[in-house]
Amino acid sequence: MLLKHCSIHLIPSACCPSMLPVRMLSILILLFSLCNADSICPPEHNPLTLSPRQIIAEYEGNPVTVNCTTALAEHKGLYFTVGNETSRIIEEQMSISQSVSLSDWNVTIKCKVKLNESHECSKDLQVITFKNPEVFHSVQLVNVTRKETQYRLQCDIINVAPVQYVTVSWYKNSEKIQTESFNDTTTKTPVNKSSILRVNISREENVVEFRCEAQLDFGPHRPKLPAISQTHRVSAHYAPELKTQNSTDDTYALEGTDIIMSCEAVGNPLLVYNWICDGKNMLENTTSLSLPRVHGNKTCACTATNYLGNITKTIHLHVEPRGCPPTLTPSEMVVRFGDPVLINCSTSATDVQGMGWEAPFGGTGFERPPVVTWRVDKVEEWTPNPFCYVTLVNGSQCTVNPLITVYKTPDSVSVSDMGHGSMVEGREYDLKCDVINVAPVQNLTVTWYRGNETVLTQMFNDSTMTPVNASSTLRISTPRDYNGLTFRCEAELHLGPKGPKFPPNVTSPPYTAVVLYKPFMESCPDHVTVVENAAFSIDMLSCQPDGNPFPIVQWFYEGKILNSSKPLTRTDSGKYTAIVENSRGRSNTSVHITVEYSPSFTCKEHYEITVNDKHQSICEPVGLPTPTLTWFKDGKQMVSPQRWKKNDSGKYLLNAHNTHGTAEHTLYLEILYSPEFKNGNESKQVLQGEDVTLSCSADSNPPSNIRWVYTPAVNSNVTTEGHQKIITITRATSTNAGFYICVAENKVGRNTRFVTLMIKGNTSKVLFPAIWAFLTLLIIGLTLLVVYFHNRQKKRGQYNFVPVCQMSNIAI
């Protein structure tokens, strides 16, 4: 067949291909396959439908079942190819299913339908196996200028697949500033990628928080996995600077008193301090220097240093005579912003010209000693810095400054999950505590609580005295036990011994963690024994499902789902398996249940037993545990016989007992046995003309059917008396001589007895030895023949024995 160039057109074109008749679609596909040697099936008329059409699932997750349906009513078979493996071809079905394992990064799945022996259609299933990444954040200091600091931030996305679906986002203080994706569309296995962000941080920005976030996003109407992120804080570096513009300062002290000199400088990183007084190194790495009981003036220099430089402040100490400086009551105080304040300044000096308060607000004029008061109704300055001065008669002046700390509790304290929402077991997440509008922040302590347990305490070294916003981050790993656990943070101002008796604090509302984890069944026993009449059901087991989301539980018995509230009966012992499943996975747990029950009998009331049968085959009780069976006859317990005898017929009581009860059953046993003759074979000799009587009876149960086998004669007659058969011969002649066989038979078996009748008289002849030998052989042969047919009757059914020939009369 040569079909190099041909075309196929559907008219009308508005017709939906999926609505074509099935037979027409089959013909169209076949023609298309013949016309297009390079095409397996016309895409617009592909008869195959896959469900789902696409798989997006986690690598090594639960297997996914794919259904493939064909619109062709007539085809040569449906089958799947998964990688290099081909499933069994299924004929005469419109759909097939295939379980797909997600343990191959490059799995290829096709469903195929055979149109004939040489052509087929196929449809590919798109499979995307993914792995959510880990994220690591690193920071490198690049350059420092007077105005700003340059950093290089690197976000490492580790072990992610497929990388083409990864989006990396950079956030600056929760504001997205940069997004990056990757164009690698060929790599399906996990890879490592990095994203770089260069930033300049100014001093005005203080501490800036940067967050790197990686997320697998498979597009509109497709899964979007939870973002994985890490956060890092950076701040501007700068050389040391004095808080005041003056590099020199004058300090006054009363002779013999202790003095503390302060060196207030700022810089980042932290500053190292060095004090030198009158040329002597004081070896103090602090912002303040204590000098006890000073005498005479001194000159001290404080140098603050970091890797960007140093700055020095010179302090001239003027030691004044006694009476200066004045005394403050109180000399140190802690006041809440907006509250009133009152401090008295007094002096014991006698040569005082006047004294007063200098302050941004609430100052006084030049007043007479010995006391002057600084009074303010509302403190509305964060650093009021008032000082009291005393002017002596000689014109010298001394001053003293009270130490005043103005504080403000936070407007609010709250915990946030930074947008990640629900957590997944085994991963790390950050919780953020935001403290809004608090002062002074250097006295702030943030304490994190998990439930009622303290897990983190953070303090702040910012020397800013005005209200600021502060935040603390708690990193947690998430075991399943954290689900439903509450986290809270508490902001507390530690204001020292002069502060409030109970440090002011504000606690956030509790944040309840939601941790998603795979399901499992806990408190499940390995084996349970129950009683049938206790109405026990699977729901009454101590098994408790756990998982988040809360799992669906299904119980199975012998591979079939069951109603777990249905009471178990004696036929329900066995292995029960619970399958618990949620969106995070599934697990199974098995319990072996034994249903015990009290004894019972399902036996007949009358049994016919053949003699010598084993008695165990008669009547057995049922029960669990296996009941103990006891036999009684005539009210007396008996030992169960190994085999039954003729005299064992009678009424019996059976008693069955186990831990759950007792059952009794009455039955009558009738012992059956085959016929037995009282006398064996015999020979009888009579005179010719004498009357002869031959009788035959047998002992058996049931009674035997007795018959004589002999050659009839006109002078012989058979009669029945009870269970006997009697042959009466009147005036016996030589024709009556011969063998007479008595056959006794019942349903148990058969027996025979031989009687040899010999007639003696004038006409009798002496038998030759050969005749006697013949008769002996004939008797033996007949006996063997009867035994043979008797055995065949027992093995294969009922037979009637009919002699092939009658015995001849033999004259004796």
Short mmCIF file of all heavy atoms in Angstrom, two decimals, residues 16 114 168 192 239 243 301 306 347 355 360 380 405 420 444 446 471 530 537 576 583 596 651 746 771 806:
data_model
loop_
_atom_site.label_atom_id
_atom_site.label_comp_id
_atom_site.label_asym_id
_atom_site.label_seq_id
_atom_site.Cartn_x
_atom_site.Cartn_y
_atom_site.Cartn_z
N CYS A 16 -17.67 19.27 17.17
CA CYS A 16 -16.67 18.97 18.20
C CYS A 16 -16.11 17.59 17.96
O CYS A 16 -16.87 16.62 17.85
CB CYS A 16 -17.31 19.05 19.58
SG CYS A 16 -16.21 18.57 20.89
N LYS A 114 -4.25 -0.10 21.29
CA LYS A 114 -3.91 -0.76 20.02
C LYS A 114 -5.14 -0.70 19.12
O LYS A 114 -6.21 -1.20 19.47
CB LYS A 114 -3.49 -2.21 20.26
CG LYS A 114 -2.20 -2.35 21.06
CD LYS A 114 -1.84 -3.81 21.33
CE LYS A 114 -1.44 -4.53 20.06
NZ LYS A 114 -0.18 -4.04 19.51
N VAL A 168 12.74 33.11 44.00
CA VAL A 168 13.45 33.62 45.17
C VAL A 168 13.07 35.09 45.34
O VAL A 168 13.21 35.89 44.41
CB VAL A 168 14.98 33.47 45.02
CG1 VAL A 168 15.68 34.03 46.26
CG2 VAL A 168 15.34 32.00 44.82
N ASN A 192 21.46 22.95 43.60
CA ASN A 192 21.69 24.06 44.51
C ASN A 192 21.80 25.35 43.69
O ASN A 192 22.47 25.38 42.65
CB ASN A 192 22.96 23.87 45.33
CG ASN A 192 22.92 22.60 46.15
OD1 ASN A 192 21.84 22.12 46.48
ND2 ASN A 192 24.07 22.06 46.48
N ALA A 239 32.36 55.08 62.33
CA ALA A 239 33.44 55.34 63.29
C ALA A 239 32.87 55.98 64.56
O ALA A 239 31.76 56.52 64.56
CB ALA A 239 34.49 56.25 62.68
N LYS A 243 28.48 61.81 71.70
CA LYS A 243 27.07 62.21 71.67
C LYS A 243 26.92 63.72 71.75
O LYS A 243 25.97 64.29 71.22
CB LYS A 243 26.33 61.55 72.83
CG LYS A 243 26.03 60.08 72.62
CD LYS A 243 25.11 59.57 73.71
CE LYS A 243 24.73 58.11 73.44
NZ LYS A 243 23.80 57.60 74.46
N ALA A 301 41.20 61.68 80.11
CA ALA A 301 40.86 61.53 78.69
C ALA A 301 40.25 60.14 78.47
O ALA A 301 40.77 59.13 78.96
CB ALA A 301 42.09 61.69 77.82
N ASN A 306 36.81 51.68 67.52
CA ASN A 306 36.43 50.45 66.80
C ASN A 306 37.31 50.37 65.56
O ASN A 306 38.22 51.19 65.37
CB ASN A 306 34.93 50.39 66.49
CG ASN A 306 34.46 51.47 65.54
OD1 ASN A 306 35.27 52.13 64.86
ND2 ASN A 306 33.15 51.68 65.47
N THR A 347 21.99 72.94 100.52
CA THR A 347 23.43 73.07 100.76
C THR A 347 23.67 73.34 102.23
O THR A 347 22.84 73.97 102.92
CB THR A 347 24.05 74.18 99.91
OG1 THR A 347 25.45 74.24 100.17
CG2 THR A 347 23.42 75.52 100.20
N MET A 355 21.34 80.32 95.15
CA MET A 355 21.28 79.02 94.50
C MET A 355 20.03 78.94 93.62
O MET A 355 19.12 79.77 93.77
CB MET A 355 21.30 77.87 95.52
CG MET A 355 20.17 77.95 96.53
SD MET A 355 20.35 76.76 97.91
CE MET A 355 20.53 75.23 97.06
N PRO A 360 15.40 72.81 81.07
CA PRO A 360 14.63 73.20 79.89
C PRO A 360 13.23 73.66 80.24
O PRO A 360 12.64 74.47 79.53
CB PRO A 360 14.60 71.91 79.05
CG PRO A 360 15.73 71.08 79.54
CD PRO A 360 15.88 71.42 80.98
N GLU A 380 7.44 66.04 80.09
CA GLU A 380 7.17 65.83 78.67
C GLU A 380 8.44 65.99 77.85
O GLU A 380 8.42 66.35 76.68
CB GLU A 380 6.10 66.81 78.19
CG GLU A 380 4.74 66.54 78.84
CD GLU A 380 3.66 67.51 78.38
OE1 GLU A 380 4.02 68.63 77.96
OE2 GLU A 380 2.48 67.14 78.44
N THR A 405 15.49 59.11 84.75
CA THR A 405 15.13 58.20 83.65
C THR A 405 13.65 58.34 83.38
O THR A 405 12.81 58.12 84.28
CB THR A 405 15.44 56.73 84.01
OG1 THR A 405 16.84 56.61 84.28
CG2 THR A 405 15.06 55.80 82.87
N HIS A 420 4.20 32.84 57.28
CA HIS A 420 4.31 31.46 56.82
C HIS A 420 3.10 30.61 57.16
O HIS A 420 2.90 29.53 56.60
CB HIS A 420 5.58 30.80 57.36
CG HIS A 420 5.70 30.80 58.87
ND1 HIS A 420 4.86 30.07 59.68
CD2 HIS A 420 6.57 31.44 59.69
CE1 HIS A 420 5.22 30.26 60.94
NE2 HIS A 420 6.25 31.10 60.98
N LEU A 444 14.83 47.64 78.10
CA LEU A 444 13.78 46.68 77.69
C LEU A 444 14.34 45.26 77.69
O LEU A 444 15.45 45.00 77.22
CB LEU A 444 13.28 47.04 76.28
CG LEU A 444 12.28 46.06 75.65
CD1 LEU A 444 10.97 46.06 76.42
CD2 LEU A 444 12.04 46.41 74.18
N VAL A 446 12.82 41.43 76.47
CA VAL A 446 11.74 40.65 75.85
C VAL A 446 11.95 39.19 76.23
O VAL A 446 13.01 38.62 76.01
CB VAL A 446 11.72 40.82 74.32
CG1 VAL A 446 10.71 39.86 73.70
CG2 VAL A 446 11.38 42.26 73.96
N SER A 471 11.97 44.72 68.08
CA SER A 471 11.46 43.39 67.72
C SER A 471 12.45 42.33 68.15
O SER A 471 13.66 42.56 68.22
CB SER A 471 11.17 43.28 66.23
OG SER A 471 12.37 43.40 65.48
N VAL A 530 -11.84 -10.50 73.57
CA VAL A 530 -13.14 -9.99 73.98
C VAL A 530 -14.14 -11.15 74.04
O VAL A 530 -13.86 -12.26 73.57
CB VAL A 530 -13.65 -8.90 73.01
CG1 VAL A 530 -12.70 -7.73 72.97
CG2 VAL A 530 -13.85 -9.46 71.62
N SER A 537 -17.17 -3.66 69.84
CA SER A 537 -16.95 -3.22 68.46
C SER A 537 -15.56 -2.61 68.35
O SER A 537 -14.92 -2.29 69.36
CB SER A 537 -18.01 -2.22 68.02
OG SER A 537 -17.91 -1.03 68.78
N TYR A 576 -7.13 -7.16 62.38
CA TYR A 576 -7.81 -5.94 61.94
C TYR A 576 -6.76 -4.85 61.73
O TYR A 576 -5.86 -4.67 62.56
CB TYR A 576 -8.84 -5.48 62.97
CG TYR A 576 -10.05 -6.39 63.05
CD1 TYR A 576 -9.99 -7.60 63.73
CD2 TYR A 576 -11.24 -6.05 62.43
CE1 TYR A 576 -11.08 -8.44 63.79
CE2 TYR A 576 -12.34 -6.88 62.49
CZ TYR A 576 -12.26 -8.08 63.18
OH TYR A 576 -13.35 -8.90 63.23
N SER A 583 -3.54 14.75 54.64
CA SER A 583 -2.82 15.33 53.50
C SER A 583 -1.31 15.20 53.63
O SER A 583 -0.59 15.37 52.65
CB SER A 583 -3.20 16.81 53.36
OG SER A 583 -2.86 17.52 54.54
N GLU A 596 -14.03 -14.56 72.07
CA GLU A 596 -14.35 -15.79 72.78
C GLU A 596 -15.84 -15.87 73.05
O GLU A 596 -16.53 -14.85 73.12
CB GLU A 596 -13.56 -15.85 74.09
CG GLU A 596 -12.04 -15.92 73.88
CD GLU A 596 -11.28 -16.13 75.17
OE1 GLU A 596 -11.89 -15.98 76.25
OE2 GLU A 596 -10.08 -16.47 75.10
N LYS A 651 -29.00 -43.76 76.17
CA LYS A 651 -29.17 -42.30 76.29
C LYS A 651 -27.96 -41.72 77.00
O LYS A 651 -27.53 -42.22 78.04
CB LYS A 651 -30.44 -42.00 77.07
CG LYS A 651 -30.79 -40.52 77.13
CD LYS A 651 -32.13 -40.32 77.84
CE LYS A 651 -32.52 -38.86 77.88
NZ LYS A 651 -33.81 -38.67 78.59
N ASN A 746 -27.90 -56.67 56.48
CA ASN A 746 -28.51 -55.39 56.85
C ASN A 746 -27.67 -54.26 56.28
O ASN A 746 -26.70 -54.50 55.53
CB ASN A 746 -28.70 -55.27 58.36
CG ASN A 746 -27.39 -55.24 59.13
OD1 ASN A 746 -26.32 -55.19 58.52
ND2 ASN A 746 -27.46 -55.30 60.45
N ILE A 771 -15.32 -86.55 42.75
CA ILE A 771 -16.54 -85.73 42.94
C ILE A 771 -16.41 -84.91 44.22
O ILE A 771 -16.78 -83.75 44.30
CB ILE A 771 -17.77 -86.64 42.96
CG1 ILE A 771 -17.92 -87.30 41.60
CG2 ILE A 771 -19.02 -85.85 43.32
CD1 ILE A 771 -19.07 -88.30 41.54
N GLN A 806 -27.08 -72.41 38.72
CA GLN A 806 -27.61 -73.05 39.92
C GLN A 806 -26.81 -74.28 40.24
O GLN A 806 -26.22 -74.93 39.38
CB GLN A 806 -29.07 -73.41 39.72
CG GLN A 806 -29.97 -72.17 39.55
CD GLN A 806 -31.43 -72.58 39.39
OE1 GLN A 806 -31.69 -73.72 39.03
NE2 GLN A 806 -32.30 -71.65 39.66
#
